[in-house]
Amino acid sequence: MANERIDKLSRLLDETDGLDVIFVTLPKLIYYFTGFYTEPHERFLALVCAKGQPPFLVVPILDYEKAAGVSTVDSIYAHEDTDNPYQVVKGHLTSKIRCIGIQKDHLSVNRYEALMEATGAQQAVDVEPKLNQMRVIKSEPEIAAIRRAVACIEEVFHTAIGFVKPGVTEIDIVAEMEYRMKRLGADGPSFDTMVLSGEKTGMPHGVPGAKKIREGELVLFDAGVFVDGYASDLTRTFAVGDVSARTKEIYETVLQANRKMIDAVRPGATFGSLDDAARQVIESKGDGPYFITRAGHGFGLEIHEYPSIHGNNQDVMSAGMVFTAEPGIYIPGLGGVRIEDNVLVTPTGAEVLTTFPKEWMVIGG
Ligand code: MN
Ligand code: MN
């Protein structure tokens, strides 16, 4: 599996005119290619794939043993904190380098300059779009891991709705959810667990706090986990007791938008058409100005991956892609609703991986 991926990386190198070496520097992508994962923080970590020689890893010495144990790439060179890691790279390149391939979304300017200087290259090209394409179609084992991550977060949601009561704080619920994630065997949350209530549900990126949940409010859960390296990303919005008629109306609109978007999923259709399908529903009810986010995003090893599902994305879907469907309405001062599912593109349409009920639900009674 991982060797096939390395072969693809070598082919990318061979097929790109003038390119002499590729530096893969995003830790999750190094995991994708080698089976070895570490978070090196400020230390230098790279998978180096150069023409005319086998690929090699450059790792901090404290990670050497772990890398040697699991990596499918056999050549591993360690650097100590007193070493210049770019000189370690240079020392293991066997031929002259003119053009390097880098991840421009990920590599810092300092690292870019250091790699240019150490390799003597004159030019750098961005290989990030090609690397994104390589991992956008998920394999069966990857989909199986995503299914486990979905099952885990859904169990967490089922438990967590039992904790919602007037007087309980948002952060209390977050703590319960993250405890359950770990107990259920998740690697950890796939992003900061979000529990928002009342007006705060109107902020797509609100931050949970000491605010107490009250009767008559909405409560929004947006959370996911990593299981075996792969993510899930689920949002549900609940009513605590009786809420206003307007709030319920927003909910039904978002639910309809979510369903229309998922109905539009099929190989060959554009990502833009998915955003359009959701947006048409919300605009038809006059709430278009409150749908301020894109309709979804790819995920897998990372919580946000290619594709970004917005109206201008003319790229097309293929079977094996996995992404979120998460239309929402966010009204400042009133509140918001988001319903987020995880969707797999199949040869004939969509399989919705998330099964947590999404019909109007009143909790906290
Ligand atoms: Mn989410
Ligand atoms: Mn999401």
Side-chain angles (χ1 to χ4, degrees):
M1 170 64 62
N3 286 330
E4 271 174 36
R5 293 175 182 172
I6 284 281
D7 290 346
K8 271 197 203 170
L9 190 63
S10 299
R11 273 205 299 280
L12 172 63
L13 181 66
D14 291 337
E15 288 164 4
T16 311
D17 274 347
L19 188 60
D20 299 307
V21 58
I22 294 172
F23 291 101
V24 179
T25 47
L26 184 74
K28 282 272 180 152
L29 203 47
I30 291 173
Y31 171 75
Y32 180 79
F33 286 115
T34 69
F36 159 66
Y37 179 74
T38 193
E39 174 44 71
H41 302 290
E42 75 280 16
R43 294 184 173 98
F44 185 78
L45 173 73
L47 169 63
V48 185
C49 186
K51 268 195 181 135
Q53 65 181 108
F56 61 89
L57 274 167
V58 176
V59 305
I61 194 159
L62 58 142
D63 282 316
Y64 180 82
E65 202 178 327
K66 187 162 61 161
V70 297
S71 170
T72 53
V73 166
D74 296 327
S75 305
I76 304 167
Y77 306 114
H79 60 86
E80 299 183 38
D81 287 340
T82 48
D83 291 334
N84 177 336
Y86 308 99
Q87 291 304 315
V88 174
V89 170
K90 180 185 178 181
H92 291 95
L93 289 169
T94 55
S95 48
K96 183 167 168 58
I97 304 293
R98 293 168 207 86
C99 177
I100 65 174
I102 57 173
Q103 295 189 260
K104 286 197 177 177
D105 278 341
H106 176 250
L107 197 69
S108 74
V109 175
N110 273 332
R111 287 185 171 183
Y112 158 75
E113 288 177 352
L115 282 175
M116 290 298 278
E117 195 189 330
T119 59
Q122 258 89 64
Q123 196 194 348
V125 297
D126 189 14
V127 291
E128 191 111 51
K130 287 275 166 55
L131 297 178
N132 286 340
Q133 281 299 333
M134 234 176 251
R135 61 182 172 141
V136 69
I137 307 290
K138 269 60 181 180
S139 67
E140 280 304 324
E142 290 182 293
I143 293 166
I146 291 169
R147 287 183 198 279
R148 292 195 291 278
V150 167
C152 177
I153 195 58
E154 294 201 322
E155 191 169 343
V156 168
F157 271 41
H158 280 293
T159 305
I161 55 176
F163 292 114
V164 174
K165 286 183 182 47
V168 173
T169 69
E170 295 165 346
I171 211 76
D172 285 337
I173 310 279
V174 169
E176 295 289 353
M177 289 173 79
E178 296 197 343
Y179 170 77
R180 291 305 309 163
M181 291 173 189
K182 286 283 191 178
R183 290 303 303 257
L184 290 168
D187 308 339
S190 51
F191 57 94
D192 287 344
T193 302
M194 187 186 288
V195 173
L196 301 173
S197 61
E199 273 183 38
K200 289 174 75 182
T201 57
M203 291 179 281
H205 276 181
V207 179
K211 182 192 168 300
K212 288 192 165 99
I213 294 166
R214 288 188 301 252
E215 178 89 20
E217 288 184 337
L218 291 176
V219 172
L220 182 150
F221 292 179
D222 183 356
V225 288
F226 284 120
V227 171
D228 303 324
Y230 285 82
S232 55
D233 186 4
L234 178 68
T235 306
R236 289 292 183 266
T237 310
F238 309 100
V240 181
D242 282 336
V243 300
S244 70
R246 172 69 171 136
T247 304
K248 179 126 196 257
E249 177 187 274
I250 293 167
Y251 191 93
E252 295 303 329
T253 303
V254 172
L255 181 57
Q256 201 185 332
N258 166 289
R259 289 192 163 133
K260 286 282 181 197
M261 177 176 172
I262 291 168
D263 286 346
V265 173
R266 60 185 161 79
T270 65
F271 294 112
S273 72
L274 299 182
D275 191 277
D276 292 346
R279 206 162 294 274
Q280 270 167 21
V281 173
I282 294 173
E283 284 176 352
S284 74
K285 309 281 176 164
D287 285 324
Y290 303 120
F291 181 12
I292 52 176
T293 63
R294 60 182 175 181
H297 56 84
F299 68 94
L301 282 171
E302 292 177 283
I303 186 60
H304 287 177
E305 292 182 4
Y306 171 86
S308 176
I309 302 177
H310 58 74
N312 292 333
N313 189 341
Q314 295 305 308
D315 295 349
V316 298
M317 285 172 259
S318 304
M321 292 180 175
V322 176
F323 49 77
T324 69
E326 53 175 308
I329 294 176
Y330 308 95
I331 304 181
L334 178 71
V337 172
R338 176 165 65 257
I339 301 172
E340 178 178 30
D341 285 311
N342 298 167
V343 177
L344 167 68
V345 185
T346 68
T348 53
E351 180 188 343
V352 184
L353 302 175
T354 36
T355 61
F356 196 95
K358 53 187 173 183
E359 291 75 24
W360 179 250
M361 197 188 288
V362 179
I363 61 173

